[in-house]
Amino acid sequence: MEKEFNNIGKKMPYTVPDGYFDAMHEKLAAIPGRQRRSLVIRWVSAAAAIVLVASVAFFTLRPRPQETLLSDIMLQYEQSLSDEELDSWVEFSENDIFLDLMDE
Amino acid sequence: MNIFLHKRTPGVTFEEVLKEFEQPLYWHIRRMVASHDDASDILQETFIHIYKGLGSLREKAALRSWVYRIATNECLRFLSRRKEISLTEENSFLADQLESSPGVDLSDGAALRFQKALLALSPQQRTVFTLRYYDDLSYEEIAEVTGSSVQTLKVAYHYAKEKIKNAIIS
């Protein structure tokens, strides 16, 4: 049995295509360059993501100036009128020829 | 000068590791997975890990067991991904596939029988056997590769050798 082992030695039935190891060496030697490019891409992507998140946060979370609506101004104005002033204003509005034309 | 081609750990560059280990690692991987295409893919993955980890290697003396550990782990990961392969039991899947695989010389019957017997071992036993028999690693180095004790490895090697002998003569 030992003889059989020794006869075979380290022989293997495997073969590789011609020039395989030269071509593989080229591929493997390119790994540092590929890794560097992928590292740069990862850093740029991370920086872009940070900028995007910061921009979204800035525009959504920043304090906004109080918006004053026209309807609020009108409401305040109406509340400041006395009943007599309000009646006369309504009457004026109903008889205003221009407002009537706009309604039509 | 591309500094990434000259990444230094204790006096070792990626280029030097590549020159010294690309062919031994290819054959180690090929013996583990049998297929040339699979071995090529695993070899590339192995060297990517080597490149990434070279900076963390402390001692040059540990280089050989370190690169073999990476290659072996990649092989075991590859084999475990294949559902038809069990990492804990002996299997004949790879052995059965051997004769139909491209890149196999069928004319040397003895070498073919030997390799089929090797592929029928469990991946762990195959690892120990190939590292000792083909790659001439010491048991201490194999212990660093596999994380097993030297005594366990000696027993595993003995059993693997017996199984191969029995397979050859049967």
Side-chain angles (χ1 to χ4, degrees):
Chain A
M1 282 194 289
E2 200 64 50
K3 188 171 170 254
E4 182 93 35
F5 238 84
N6 294 336
N7 284 345
I8 296 166
K10 295 186 179 184
K11 261 192 302 179
M12 289 182 294
Y14 299 126
T15 60
V16 294
D18 289 340
Y20 168 73
F21 283 114
D22 290 337
M24 182 49 82
H25 181 83
E26 292 292 312
K27 265 189 193 174
L28 298 176
I31 285 174
R34 284 208 311 269
Q35 289 297 308
R36 182 179 57 170
R37 277 194 294 280
S38 101
L39 191 67
V40 168
I41 289 167
R42 274 206 299 273
W43 275 106
V44 169
S45 305
I50 289 168
V51 168
L52 182 68
V53 168
S55 303
V56 169
F58 175 76
F59 285 111
T60 54
L61 302 177
R62 69 176 173 161
R64 293 180 186 173
Q66 198 67 38
E67 287 181 17
T68 309
L69 299 174
L70 183 60
S71 57
D72 294 338
I73 296 169
M74 288 302 291
L75 190 64
Q76 281 175 6
Y77 175 66
E78 281 174 28
Q79 285 169 348
S80 68
L81 296 175
S82 66
D83 290 345
E84 292 76 24
E85 284 171 326
L86 202 57
D87 286 342
S88 64
W89 185 62
V90 170
E91 189 182 348
F92 172 77
S93 300
E94 283 174 349
N95 296 324
D96 189 306
I97 187 168
F98 295 108
L99 286 175
D100 288 347
L101 280 172
M102 281 173 73
D103 288 343
E104 285 168 12
Chain B
M1 184 173 78
N2 186 343
I3 57 165
F4 289 89
L5 278 173
H6 298 273
K7 192 172 180 176
R8 284 209 163 264
T9 293
V12 187
T13 66
F14 180 74
E15 272 291 298
E16 288 165 352
V17 178
L18 189 56
K19 237 179 236 173
E20 188 175 347
F21 290 104
E22 62 181 330
Q23 290 201 25
L25 287 183
Y26 168 81
W27 289 117
H28 170 60
I29 295 166
R30 183 84 190 263
R31 284 187 288 270
M32 291 295 290
V33 301
S35 152
H36 167 70
D37 289 341
D38 292 339
S40 292
D41 291 344
I42 296 169
L43 184 69
Q44 289 187 63
E45 281 302 309
T46 298
F47 272 98
I48 288 171
H49 286 293
I50 288 172
Y51 173 74
K52 286 179 176 173
L54 202 54
S56 63
L57 185 68
R58 297 264 178 253
E59 300 166 43
K60 190 179 179 182
L63 181 64
R64 190 155 85 133
S65 55
W66 182 69
V67 297
Y68 273 98
R69 183 167 69 234
I70 293 172
T72 302
N73 286 344
E74 284 302 309
C75 291
L76 296 178
R77 203 191 326 273
F78 169 82
L79 293 171
S80 70
R81 276 203 302 264
R82 295 170 66 155
K83 287 177 184 159
E84 63 269 44
I85 302 289
S86 162
L87 283 183
T88 53
E89 294 169 6
E90 290 183 26
N91 61 77
S92 60
F93 176 79
L94 290 173
D96 293 341
Q97 292 254 307
L98 183 63
E99 285 175 28
S100 58
S101 301
V104 176
D105 177 11
L106 302 176
S107 64
D108 191 341
L112 197 63
R113 279 202 310 281
F114 192 101
Q115 216 55 222
K116 281 182 81 170
L118 180 63
L119 289 170
L121 298 174
S122 70
Q124 285 82 358
Q125 279 185 326
R126 192 154 72 246
T127 301
V128 177
F129 187 84
T130 60
L131 290 176
R132 181 82 187 127
Y133 185 79
Y134 287 103
D135 296 302
D136 295 318
L137 265 68
S138 67
Y139 283 114
E140 286 72 21
E141 283 177 308
I142 302 172
E144 285 174 23
V145 172
T146 61
S148 306
S149 71
V150 168
Q151 195 54 38
T152 305
L153 293 172
K154 284 180 179 174
V155 173
Y157 181 77
H158 173 75
Y159 277 115
K161 199 171 176 181
E162 288 304 308
K163 279 181 185 172
I164 291 173
K165 277 181 189 172
N166 291 336
I168 289 171
I169 60 169
S170 64

